[in-house]
Amino acid sequence: MDLGEDVSSLFGKRSKTSSNSTVNRSRTKGAEEAPTIFNQKKCIAWFRQYSTPSSPDTIGPEGVEMFCRDLNVEPENIALLVLSWKMGAKQMGYFTLQEWLLGLTDLQCDSLAKLQAKLNYLHSLLLDSSHFKSIYRYAFDFSRDKDQRSLDIETAKAMLGLLLGRQWSLLNSFFQFLDQSRYRVLNKDQWCNVLEFSRAVDVDLKNYDVDGAWPVMLDEFVEWLKVNRGESNIQ
């Protein structure tokens, strides 16, 4: 599975509409020096560049894609997830004006240039354990279908790849386990415990406590992995 493509599709696939149909507008390239004082009116005007006359207080998937292009980040860039968390965005692929103002007021960004200058800061938030945990938990509700309480496996795998791909060496093994398992969705308890498992359990599994309070899914993963490694089943 191409995780980059999957995450990109979650945030909204690129529009096939001809660029000639897009309303021309000037794009800040970061060359101009941005003012230091946050201007809410300017921030709202910036928001309107990506919303439509029919939905002036909501940026939809095409607007989010346009925003990503202007910001010069791919939709699967984790900085976009962190920004969405800052905004408290409720639904992937959409920003409301209220969410936009909440996040960008906190970041003190009323222009593209200012937000581009904050991208490293957004990435740095992931280095803080408590912030990462909050972002990880947020990602579950952000990426699930709102009429579902669980996260479908393909979406879960895409988001896990985005969040844990560089820090959990057992992630690919976990994906292989999921592919052959009976699990087609992850509930929030399972989702949250995957993070705790990735932090607490060593790669060799020797410190895994079978009598611990792990979800059955993770007990099954450990047993599956031991069998595939040619080791004894959990006693």
Side-chain angles (χ1 to χ4, degrees):
M1 179 182 67
D2 187 335
L3 291 177
E5 175 63 22
D6 269 12
V7 176
S8 179
S9 69
L10 291 175
F11 280 92
K13 288 188 178 295
R14 298 197 178 281
S15 173
K16 296 181 180 178
T17 306
S18 169
S19 59
N20 291 333
S21 65
T22 303
V23 177
N24 291 326
R25 67 186 190 284
S26 61
R27 295 181 177 178
T28 305
K29 298 297 183 180
E32 298 179 4
E33 185 176 350
T36 57
I37 299 174
F38 177 79
N39 186 315
Q40 187 178 85
K41 288 184 178 180
K42 183 178 178 182
C43 191
I44 293 173
W46 181 27
F47 175 91
R48 302 286 188 218
Q49 293 182 25
Y50 305 109
S51 63
T52 62
S54 60
S55 300
D57 291 339
T58 302
I59 298 174
E62 289 189 2
V64 171
E65 291 170 6
M66 198 177 298
F67 171 64
C68 290
R69 288 197 296 271
D70 285 356
L71 195 57
N72 199 27
V73 299
E74 293 297 322
E76 62 267 26
N77 190 314
I78 199 168
L80 188 62
L81 176 63
V82 180
L83 178 60
S84 300
W85 169 73
K86 272 285 186 182
M87 292 181 181
K90 298 291 191 298
Q91 185 176 3
M92 184 177 287
Y94 296 85
F95 295 137
T96 67
L97 178 58
Q98 182 179 11
E99 292 165 351
W100 178 273
L101 287 175
L102 177 67
L104 294 177
T105 300
D106 182 61
L107 292 168
Q108 291 291 285
C109 294
D110 55 19
S111 69
L112 198 63
K114 286 184 178 181
L115 186 54
Q116 286 171 330
K118 287 281 189 177
L119 290 178
N120 287 338
Y121 167 72
L122 292 175
H123 278 283
S124 74
L125 293 175
L126 296 163
L127 302 176
D128 179 90
S129 179
S130 62
H131 283 147
F132 185 90
K133 185 174 183 178
S134 178
I135 293 165
Y136 180 91
R137 286 174 169 265
Y138 163 80
F140 179 88
D141 290 319
F142 179 58
S143 54
R144 68 179 171 83
D145 290 336
K146 297 311 172 223
D147 59 346
Q148 302 292 326
R149 298 187 64 179
S150 298
L151 194 60
D152 72 87
I153 284 296
E154 292 307 314
T155 302
K157 287 167 65 177
M159 294 305 294
L160 287 171
L162 184 67
L163 289 156
L164 300 180
R166 295 185 178 182
Q167 56 183 283
W168 188 29
S169 59
L170 292 179
L171 184 61
N172 284 336
S173 295
F174 184 62
F175 286 168
Q176 292 170 22
F177 161 76
L178 289 176
D179 288 342
Q180 60 80 54
S181 75
R182 59 190 170 90
Y183 296 99
R184 295 295 174 264
V185 297
L186 293 187
N187 61 40
K188 192 161 189 177
D189 180 64
Q190 291 167 332
W191 172 266
C192 292
N193 272 281
V194 168
L195 175 62
E196 299 309 317
F197 183 97
S198 73
R199 290 177 165 182
V201 178
D202 296 337
V203 175
D204 61 14
L205 306 176
K206 290 182 178 179
N207 68 333
Y208 183 77
D209 181 7
V210 67
D211 295 320
W214 297 109
V216 172
M217 180 188 72
L218 290 174
D219 288 334
E220 293 174 352
F221 169 57
V222 170
E223 184 171 3
W224 175 88
L225 188 55
K226 285 191 171 187
V227 169
N228 276 268
R229 287 175 172 178
E231 302 172 7
S232 300
N233 288 349
I234 298 175
Q235 301 298 316

